[in-house]
Amino acid sequence: MLWALGGGTLLIGVLAALGWWHMIRMPGTSHRGELPPADEALGALADELRADVAALAGKIGQRHTIAARQRFCDAAEWIETELARIGYPVEVQEYTVLGLPCWNFAVEVRGASLPDEIVVTGAHYDSAMNTPGADDNASGVAALLALARRFFRRPADRTLRFVAFANEEAPHFRTDKMGSRVYARACRKQHERIAAMLSLETIGFYDDAPNSQRYPAPFSLFYPSAGNFVAFVGNTGSADLVRRSVAAFRRHEPFPSEGAALPGMVRGVGFSDHWAFWQEGYPAVMVTDTAMFRYPHYHEPTDTPDRIDYDRLARVVRGLEQVVLALATRDDAQSP
């Protein structure tokens, strides 16, 4: 991309001087061109994801502790039921907001050789006010459930946890009432060793059109203009985790992918549940379609299930399965 813009050597020099080249240079090569034809297994996964998004964002719809309390409770009950239906015992972490209960739900596959080192995959199940939240974040929850199903009774070296979080959206965003903040604090209080955390945040919308992707300045100089990729985003303290995640995804899934480990002050870098884990000193990465930088229906009533590209979402989930497995394997992940 740098050379296509011209002056690639100069740009690399500037990035090197600022330390940014190290932040955006990722291992492997992003897939370009046509996607491989879908096979039967991919089609089945797409149907699975479609059904879960429809249940959460279609049947239940807006789910918010203040604007849609009953539907928030309905969503919580649905998620707990789905996790239990897989066969997991579900750990329920209850806490109160304005005197009313809220819940995080966690399931676990105990590690075989490094059980005290934990890889957390999480997604928030609440929606913003006045939106059914199909992409934000029923797409992330559907992916979380799909991964939980595929890792059931499938131990890796490290312990795997799949967690559905409450209250990521305003007015709880970046407060003590954010579900992931409650959960990450409890992990730290219990001296748990979180080796890696993946936050699945708004991952279902893709657009091949030129200039469909926007960025905070100056990153439009260094990334594609078409919003057809999945992004792995972390802060500088999580740079190694970003690179390992991107490397694993690119090794296994022929789908466009980008990565960046940027200062937390850059707009959008900390806009999800991974931020809560940073506050406790844990490495964490957001996996995203970049939300407001691409999706025209972000936080709108039009964020409905028909907006999701289920074929491409399925490809991302298939790649994420390999990312989770790699991070949970002894030779790939590093304990903190």
Side-chain angles (χ1 to χ4, degrees):
M1 184 62 183
L2 292 171
W3 290 270
L5 293 167
T9 302
L10 175 60
L11 285 170
I12 290 173
V14 172
L15 284 173
L18 295 174
W20 284 13
W21 183 236
H22 180 68
M23 299 176 193
I24 67 174
R25 183 168 54 90
M26 294 291 127
T29 303
S30 176
H31 178 79
R32 294 290 182 261
E34 295 292 322
L35 297 176
D39 57 21
E40 185 176 345
L42 188 73
L45 175 55
D47 289 343
E48 177 185 333
L49 294 163
R50 182 182 289 106
D52 285 342
V53 171
L56 192 56
K59 184 176 180 180
I60 295 174
Q62 180 186 184
R63 49 206 179 273
H64 191 279
T65 51
I66 295 173
R69 171 72 193 181
Q70 183 54 57
R71 281 177 283 174
F72 171 83
C73 294
D74 292 343
E77 181 180 5
W78 178 79
I79 288 167
E80 184 178 11
T81 298
E82 288 301 310
L83 290 170
R85 182 174 291 150
I86 299 169
Y88 289 104
V90 182
E91 178 186 350
V92 181
Q93 183 185 48
E94 182 174 315
Y95 67 102
T96 59
V97 177
L98 300 175
L100 297 172
C102 297
W103 309 273
N104 295 324
F105 301 101
V107 298
E108 181 175 285
V109 181
R110 189 75 171 161
S113 60
L114 297 169
D116 293 335
E117 298 182 17
I118 303 163
V119 176
V120 174
T121 303
H124 72 88
Y125 63 88
D126 60 317
S127 74
M129 294 184 185
N130 301 316
T131 174
D135 198 25
D136 185 13
N137 189 36
S139 66
V141 173
L144 179 76
L145 292 172
L147 291 169
R149 293 179 186 117
R150 281 149 184 78
F151 281 101
F152 180 60
R153 293 180 177 171
R154 181 185 167 190
D157 293 326
R158 290 174 173 81
T159 291
L160 296 175
R161 280 192 196 157
F162 301 94
V163 189
F165 300 117
N167 296 347
E168 189 268 356
E169 300 288 358
H172 313 298
F173 182 65
R174 291 198 178 189
T175 73
D176 290 345
K177 301 304 181 182
M178 193 172 172
S180 54
R181 188 79 170 100
V182 172
Y183 189 85
R185 277 184 164 174
C187 291
R188 179 56 72 192
K189 185 176 181 179
Q190 295 163 14
H191 305 289
E192 291 188 323
R193 300 175 67 189
I194 307 297
M197 187 273 176
L198 298 177
S199 173
L200 310 183
E201 173 62 63
T202 313
I203 58 173
F205 184 79
Y206 301 91
D207 192 339
D208 293 317
N211 302 315
S212 56
Q213 181 70 47
R214 300 179 302 280
Y215 303 93
F219 297 103
S220 60
L221 297 175
F222 315 119
Y223 289 105
S225 70
N228 60 2
F229 60 88
V230 66
F232 294 79
V233 182
N235 62 0
T236 53
S238 300
D240 182 62
L241 177 58
V242 174
R243 293 189 185 93
R244 286 186 283 118
S245 299
V246 170
F249 188 91
R250 289 177 173 178
R251 279 197 305 268
H252 295 284
E253 187 59 38
F255 188 88
S257 57
E258 302 294 341
L262 303 171
M265 68 184 70
V266 175
R267 181 171 180 253
V269 170
F271 278 14
S272 192
D273 296 299
H274 56 304
W275 170 87
F277 286 77
W278 293 347
Q279 308 316 299
E280 302 303 326
Y282 293 129
V285 167
M286 173 173 58
V287 184
T288 181
D289 64 16
T290 75
M292 79 287 286
F293 297 113
R294 173 188 308 175
Y295 188 45
H297 307 285
Y298 176 74
H299 283 189
E300 295 291 336
T302 50
D303 183 11
T304 50
D306 58 302
R307 308 290 183 182
I308 305 303
D309 186 328
Y310 293 99
D311 175 86
R312 288 200 253 195
L313 175 58
R315 293 172 192 269
V316 169
V317 172
R318 189 170 61 180
L320 287 174
E321 181 180 354
Q322 297 302 318
V323 173
V324 171
L325 182 61
L327 295 176
T329 300
R330 177 188 293 270
D331 291 339
D332 200 275
Q334 298 176 1
S335 56

